[in-house]
């Protein structure tokens, strides 16, 4: 018995890798091999708003009469927008990214794309394509911004935005509509919200951690629940906005101020009354923690909590708490200001 086991082990050790037990299953095509472009070590580049990010694209050889074309896949319409084209000697920039992009070109094989002053809308999938007649090949990379997703609704109640109004509302609050990937990541990190909201691709979702009756019932499992694609003009929901790091500071001014006085108090300090996205960013990236409700630019009153405690709302999780949209004449709150 022992002799048979020993012979079996020796056979496995000495059988060459070309034996059928190591071969690729029949009918499974081998992935195409890149001849000129190197596979990037990491397909995702992590960054924050305001930073400089480089998407790697390096050639192993320079074919004759080649061009390298960089483009971005736009999630709102699934189209590719050309960013830059180069033949190794000359290049031309295209589109809204044009003023903020250049080729790193640290050596003659380097066609990596550098984006300066990264903006919220820069997040997404990019493609570096070698154009060389019949031997075209490409690599895809993802630019990922570290940030925070927050639900947003206007002062007149929930489900008031069509898609275009939701998009504009997020932009007015120093943010943009979140992508599905951003919303899903926020759900995995604890975002639990009953109201459905638009996201960037025109679909509508809501993230649930704790299943409950008002949010689809107790029998449904937790998850990002979806209403699918909706009519961007007629259908009305809330919005899920996404923001990233600030190039500035949010701070609190104590007082009993109405909304107009709150804005003037910030201006007196050479600042502006903070937007909702700026408060969320300060909470997420600067660990801003205050129990004091303060006016924001949209007329809402909120306060950021990073260390939950009983006297600050009593909720067990960190977050930006909201008093909603009180009368702008109330002299009950201070104000949150932003200085860039």
């Amino acid at each position: 018995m022992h002799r048979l086991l020993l012979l079996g082990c020796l056979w496995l050790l000495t059988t060459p890798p070309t034996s059928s037990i190591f071969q690729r299953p029949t009918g499974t095509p081998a992935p195409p091999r890149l001849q000129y472009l190197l596979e990037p070590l990491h397909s995702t580049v992590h960054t924050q708003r305001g930073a400089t990010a480089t998407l790697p694209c390096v050639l192993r050889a320079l074919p004759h009469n080649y061009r390298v074309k960089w483009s971005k896949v736009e999630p709102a319409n699934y189209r590719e927008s050309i960013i830059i084209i180069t033949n190794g000697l000359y290049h031309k920039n295209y589109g809204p990214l044009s003023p903020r992009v250049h080729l790193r070109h640290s050596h003659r094989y380097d066609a990596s794309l550098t984006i300066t002053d990264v903006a919220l809308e820069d997040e997404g999938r990019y493609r570096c394509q070698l154009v060389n007649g019949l031997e075209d090949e490409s690599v895809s990379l993802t630019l990922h911004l570290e940030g925070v997703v927050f639900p947003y609704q206007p002062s007149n109640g929930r489900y008031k935005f069509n898609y275009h109004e939701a998009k504009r509302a997020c932009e007015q609050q120093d943010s943009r509509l979140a992508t599905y990937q951003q919303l899903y990541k926020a759900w995995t990190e604890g975002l639990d919200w009953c109201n459905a909201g638009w996201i960037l691709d025109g679909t509508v979702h809501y993230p649930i951690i704790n299943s409950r009756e008002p949010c689809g019932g107790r029998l449904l499992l937790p998850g990002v629940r979806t209403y699918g694609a909706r009519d961007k003009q007629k259908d009305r929901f809330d919005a899920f906005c996404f923001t990233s790091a600030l190039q500035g500071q949010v701070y609190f001014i104590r007082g009993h101020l109405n909304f107009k006085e709150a804005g003037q108090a910030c201006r007196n300090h050479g600042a502006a009354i903070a937007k909702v996205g700026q408060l969320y960013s300060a909470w997420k990236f600067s660990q801003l923690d205050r129990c004091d409700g303060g006016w924001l630019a949209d007329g809402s009153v909120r306060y950021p909590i990073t260390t939950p405690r009983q006297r600050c709302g009593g909720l067990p999780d960190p977050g930006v708490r909201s008093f909603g949209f009180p009368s702008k004449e109330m002299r009950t709150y201070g104000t949150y200001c932003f200085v860039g």
Side-chain angles (χ1 to χ4, degrees):
M1 181 68 177
H2 292 297
R3 180 178 178 81
L4 287 174
L5 286 172
L6 180 60
L7 288 173
C9 293
L10 287 172
W11 179 84
L12 283 172
L13 289 171
T14 56
T15 301
T18 54
S19 171
S20 60
I21 65 168
F22 293 101
Q23 288 177 355
R24 185 184 304 276
T26 304
T28 304
R33 293 178 59 86
L34 294 173
Q35 296 184 25
Y36 294 104
L37 293 178
L38 291 174
E39 283 282 3
L41 288 176
H42 304 286
S43 60
T44 300
V45 175
H46 296 266
T47 188
Q48 293 181 352
R49 178 168 55 174
T52 295
T54 297
L55 299 166
C57 184
V58 178
L59 286 72
R60 69 173 86 235
L62 301 177
H64 293 294
N65 301 320
Y66 78 95
R67 289 179 298 153
V68 170
K69 179 176 74 173
W70 275 100
S71 57
K72 183 176 186 288
V73 179
E74 302 295 348
N77 52 26
Y78 302 103
R79 296 179 181 174
E80 285 199 19
S81 301
I82 296 175
I83 300 170
I84 195 168
I85 295 177
T86 180
N87 64 1
L89 295 176
Y90 306 100
H91 69 272
K92 185 174 181 180
N93 293 17
Y94 298 85
L97 267 174
S98 180
R100 296 188 289 111
V101 296
H102 63 271
L103 296 172
R104 182 174 63 181
H105 208 62
S106 57
H107 51 79
R108 68 194 189 105
Y109 298 101
D110 186 12
S112 301
L113 182 74
T114 295
I115 305 173
T116 60
D117 194 17
V118 170
L120 294 175
E121 60 269 21
D122 295 343
E123 173 156 303
R125 188 159 63 90
Y126 292 75
R127 189 158 75 111
C128 176
Q129 181 181 15
L130 175 74
V131 182
N132 182 38
L134 298 177
E135 298 180 294
D136 294 359
E137 52 190 62
S138 65
V139 294
S140 292
L141 301 109
T142 299
L143 186 66
H144 172 77
L145 268 69
E146 300 294 339
V148 57
V149 172
F150 61 94
Y152 189 74
Q153 59 184 223
S155 59
N156 57 342
R158 73 173 195 159
Y159 294 176
K160 300 297 183 182
F161 294 136
N162 67 23
Y163 172 82
H164 305 288
E165 291 165 344
K167 184 174 182 291
R168 187 160 56 249
C170 288
E171 291 166 355
Q172 289 171 347
Q173 296 307 315
D174 193 49
S175 59
R176 70 184 300 229
L177 279 175
T179 65
Y180 182 81
Q181 290 77 13
Q182 290 164 344
L183 181 63
Y184 184 88
K185 182 174 184 291
W187 169 71
T188 66
E189 295 172 349
L191 181 60
D192 182 283
W193 197 255
C194 243
N195 295 346
W198 294 101
I199 63 172
L200 187 59
D201 64 3
T203 57
V204 175
H205 309 266
Y206 64 103
I208 293 297
I209 298 290
N210 302 305
S211 298
R212 50 203 187 272
E213 288 303 328
C215 307
R218 298 180 183 276
L219 298 181
L220 285 180
L221 293 174
V224 179
R225 297 174 185 168
T226 179
Y227 287 6
R230 312 298 290 190
D231 188 309
K232 292 183 178 181
Q233 291 288 354
K234 296 179 181 178
D235 289 327
R236 294 188 173 270
F237 298 95
D238 291 345
F240 286 105
C241 305
F242 171 84
T243 192
S244 186
L246 287 173
Q247 291 182 291
Q249 180 187 8
V250 172
Y251 62 93
F252 181 75
I253 294 179
R254 190 182 300 275
H256 297 282
L257 309 170
N258 64 30
F259 177 71
K260 184 176 180 180
E261 292 166 343
Q264 187 59 53
C266 291
R267 290 191 291 273
N268 291 344
H269 286 77
I273 189 169
K275 299 177 179 180
V276 177
Q278 291 167 340
L279 185 66
Y280 269 93
S281 179
W283 165 75
K284 175 75 172 180
F285 292 99
S286 302
Q287 304 301 303
L288 184 62
D289 184 292
R290 288 202 69 100
C291 275
D292 307 278
W295 291 103
L296 295 176
D298 66 340
S300 65
V301 173
R302 306 173 194 250
Y303 62 103
I305 296 295
T306 57
T307 305
R309 48 213 187 268
Q310 191 61 41
R311 67 182 184 88
C312 298
L315 296 176
D317 300 316
V320 174
R321 320 282 197 235
S322 175
F323 287 115
F325 294 85
S327 167
K328 291 184 176 180
E329 300 304 316
M330 287 184 63
R331 285 189 169 91
T332 307
Y333 308 104
T335 183
Y336 288 95
C337 304
F338 171 75
V339 60

